[in-house]
């Protein structure tokens, strides 16, 4: 389908991101090929997002460094496009690896960079891990942490949503 030239560029990138989420073996070749086809800033943003979406531990570690470090040369556009693809409902085992790093990141991050931290929190909080175990860990760590008010608010709101998810799953017998 990507060999068709009449597909608009955003559709081509959406297909590539979907293929990346499905762990298509030749995805990095496809991403590189599409980068050459679309050398625009939009193409760079979408290529970054496609790389973030790939469900493999090492790729997630690379993405974690890019999304959690404000000093790296990663544009806000890339962070906004890639962040929502970091955690995936069908790969909870990958999200679980990043629970403790998330807690440490929230504790040590520079909260004076509010614009960065809000985006980083939204991207890196593993909200798709809808389990009572994670909820208890998250609540416990937040209660013991020294995260400033802006961070506490975001974390409390995330925990409220997580708690709703856990209750719904329990109600439905999961």
């Amino acid at each position: 389908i990507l060999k068709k030239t009449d597909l608009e560029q955003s559709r081509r990138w959406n297909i590539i991101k979907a293929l990346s989420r499905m762990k298509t073996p030749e995805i990095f070749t496809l991403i590189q090929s599409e980068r050459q086809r679309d050398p625009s800033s939009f193409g760079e943003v979408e290529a970054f997002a496609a790389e973030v979406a790939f469900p493999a531990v090492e790729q997630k570690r690379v993405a974690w460094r890019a999304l959690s470090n404000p000093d790296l040369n990663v544009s806000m556009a890339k962070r906004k496009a890639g962040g929502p693809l970091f955690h995936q409902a069908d790969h909870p085992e990958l999200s679980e690896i990043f629970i403790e790093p998330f807690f440490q990141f929230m504790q040590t991050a520079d909260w004076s960079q509010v614009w960065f931290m809000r985006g980083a929190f939204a991207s890196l909080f593993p909200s798709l891990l809808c389990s009572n175990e994670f909820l208890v860990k998250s609540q416990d760590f937040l209660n013991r942490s020294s995260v400033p008010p802006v961070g506490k608010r975001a974390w409390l709101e995330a925990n409220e949503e997580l708690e709703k998810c856990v209750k719904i799953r329990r109600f439905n017998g999961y």
Side-chain angles (χ1 to χ4, degrees), residues 15-157:
I15 291 168
I16 290 172
K17 287 184 290 188
L19 291 170
S20 184
R21 283 191 302 271
M22 292 186 290
K23 207 171 184 177
T24 302
E26 66 276 359
I27 192 61
F28 293 102
T29 302
L30 283 170
I31 292 170
Q32 191 55 35
S33 173
E34 204 61 29
R35 249 191 188 117
Q36 291 170 352
R37 180 184 168 93
D38 178 13
S40 69
S41 58
F42 175 77
E44 276 305 306
V45 166
E46 293 298 294
F48 176 80
E51 290 167 349
V52 170
F54 192 77
V57 174
E58 207 42 55
Q59 192 62 30
K60 293 298 182 185
R61 285 193 174 116
V62 169
W64 178 271
R65 284 190 291 278
L67 294 169
S68 67
N69 187 339
D71 298 328
L72 292 181
N73 191 17
V74 178
S75 70
M76 187 57 79
K78 285 183 179 181
R79 292 175 196 279
K80 284 183 177 182
L85 300 175
F86 185 80
H87 294 289
Q88 297 170 19
D90 54 343
H91 291 286
E93 73 285 358
L94 293 174
S95 292
E96 288 170 359
I97 293 169
F98 293 94
I99 291 173
E100 291 304 319
F102 172 80
F103 292 157
Q104 294 309 311
F105 171 68
M106 288 293 118
Q107 187 69 29
T108 60
D110 178 4
W111 281 91
S112 67
Q113 297 184 36
V114 174
W115 60 269
F116 169 76
M117 289 306 299
R118 284 189 179 157
F121 184 92
S123 298
L124 302 176
F125 184 81
S127 59
L128 297 176
L129 286 178
C130 181
S131 72
N132 195 58
E133 180 184 357
F134 174 57
L135 175 61
V136 169
K137 280 183 183 179
S138 182
Q139 290 169 330
D140 182 53
F141 195 89
L142 177 59
N143 290 334
R144 293 183 289 111
S145 74
S146 59
V147 174
V150 66
K152 277 199 190 258
R153 178 180 177 194
W155 206 331
L156 285 168
E157 289 173 355

